[in-house]
Amino acid sequence: MKTLKQILHLAGAITFIGAYLTADSESWRLIHVYLGYGFGIIFSLRLLIGLVPRTSMAFQTIWMRANLFKTIVQDLKDLKLERLYKWQIWYGSGMGILVFLMYLLSIPLVLFGIMTYEEFGGKWFIKFSENSHEFIGEFYLSIVLIHLVLVFGKYLLLKAKNQFLRHAN
């Protein structure tokens, strides 16, 4: 299951980045559309796998991580500052919220893209679909960038911690 998760994660990242980079070019429109369909298929698979309990991609796991934010808020209310210094709870909560948002936004992103490409509805609805697709795509990109900053920040933090422990011994 872990290998499947990694493959779907990489494929989803590649299709999203490719679709984003080809979004503003009329000559690359068909590639943008196919990458968008690919992204939709990949996230549909991830959503289906998310229904399988006790996997790292299960919705329960993602929801539990996102709900760590409630713990942070409660610790702030109770002034339990020593618990707030632990970066793991911030990281887990942040990643849970970001991944939950990515799952949530992938559905309207793809659907509005399909409605735009297929020119579903009247002139007003097509324009609404196009603007919604573009807005969600930009918002999704910002979530992806925050996700990458958190992953890179964790990497740097753990690397610094390991170097400190090596020099301390």
Side-chain angles (χ1 to χ4, degrees):
M1 192 60 91
K2 185 177 180 180
T3 305
L4 178 61
K5 177 185 172 184
Q6 291 171 340
I7 290 169
L8 291 174
H9 187 271
L10 181 63
I14 289 169
T15 55
F16 176 76
I17 291 168
Y20 185 83
L21 293 175
T22 58
D24 291 331
S25 172
E26 195 57 40
S27 59
W28 292 86
R29 184 173 188 202
L30 200 54
I31 292 172
H32 173 79
V33 169
Y34 287 144
L35 288 168
Y37 283 140
F39 180 78
I41 291 168
I42 290 163
F43 254 90
S44 296
L45 288 171
R46 290 195 73 165
L47 289 169
L48 287 173
I49 293 169
L51 298 174
V52 178
R54 292 189 295 265
T55 65
S56 60
M57 290 193 299
F59 294 134
Q60 298 162 318
T61 306
I62 295 165
W63 185 247
M64 284 183 347
R65 289 184 83 185
N67 271 331
L68 285 173
F69 188 72
K70 287 181 182 177
T71 306
I72 293 170
V73 171
Q74 191 60 46
D75 288 346
L76 283 170
K77 285 180 182 177
D78 297 341
L79 293 174
K80 293 181 181 177
L81 300 178
E82 71 281 351
R83 288 175 44 154
L84 294 172
Y85 290 130
K86 295 180 181 179
W87 65 270
Q88 292 92 340
I89 194 164
W90 291 94
Y91 179 81
S93 173
M95 281 303 216
I97 292 168
L98 292 173
V99 171
F100 182 76
L101 281 172
M102 283 190 251
Y103 273 104
L104 189 68
L105 291 174
S106 65
I107 298 166
L109 178 65
V110 172
L111 290 178
F112 279 126
I114 291 169
M115 286 187 272
T116 300
Y117 180 68
E118 298 295 333
E119 296 182 348
F120 178 80
K123 218 177 208 183
W124 177 86
F125 192 74
I126 293 169
K127 193 64 177 168
F128 173 76
S129 297
E130 183 180 328
N131 289 337
S132 298
H133 178 68
E134 196 171 317
F135 174 78
I136 295 169
E138 296 291 339
F139 186 55
Y140 201 97
L141 178 65
S142 66
I143 292 169
V144 168
L145 292 175
I146 294 168
H147 172 74
L148 291 174
V149 166
L150 285 177
V151 169
F152 189 64
K154 179 183 175 185
Y155 168 78
L156 291 177
L157 187 65
L158 292 176
K159 187 174 180 177
K161 180 181 175 185
N162 287 338
Q163 284 181 345
F164 176 76
L165 291 174
R166 258 190 240 127
H167 292 304
N169 291 331

